[in-house]
Amino acid sequence: MPTWTPDTPGLLRLPSGRLLRGRGVLNPLPPGPHPDFGLYLLGRPPKPLPWETRWVRWPDFRLPADRTDAADAFREAWQRCADERVELACAGGRGRTGTALACIAVLDGVPAAEAVGYVREHYSRHAVETPWQRRFVERLGRPDR
């Protein structure tokens, strides 16, 4: 299976070494190998794609409509990126995608209070666009969530 290279656009390397690609579906598909699995964070289902997908209903600038489903989707993406090419995408590739990447970084061991900064440093400085998205990530680290 061809892998993504460090210069693949939108690539985030988690502390464990696992790789995820973030992107905006409104942008052209980046060159190189297609994902094996895509997690799409959109207000409506994505258009059919030639790889396996999962959709989380997540309106723009908001939080996931079903947070339990979103948490399950994040765990699936984290597990699969151990040996598959996994893509996360929303419309622009910043707010919802950045929030999901930060949540997955928490699953990978990044402290919840540091996850947004980690994703902004290693993926996009514009990741996680709203205060409630930031709080959503930070709550992942609390035992009472």
Side-chain angles (χ1 to χ4, degrees), residues 9-89:
L11 201 63
L12 173 68
R13 180 178 297 277
L14 296 170
S16 65
R18 295 174 191 218
L19 301 173
L20 293 158
R21 181 174 77 185
R23 76 174 179 101
V25 296
L26 298 178
N27 300 325
L29 192 62
H34 291 274
D36 298 307
F37 174 73
L39 176 56
Y40 298 95
L41 317 158
L42 301 163
R44 67 183 86 179
K47 295 178 182 176
L49 293 162
W51 50 83
E52 187 179 350
T53 64
R54 180 168 177 176
W55 170 57
V56 169
R57 189 163 66 88
W58 191 335
D60 203 6
F61 296 105
R62 305 270 172 103
L63 295 175
D66 182 335
R67 294 175 192 177
T68 301
D69 179 53
D72 183 60
F74 301 154
R75 281 189 295 277
E76 180 180 3
W78 179 76
Q79 290 168 346
R80 292 181 77 149
C81 75
D83 56 10
E84 296 178 62
R85 290 183 307 271
V86 174
E87 168 179 273
L88 278 74

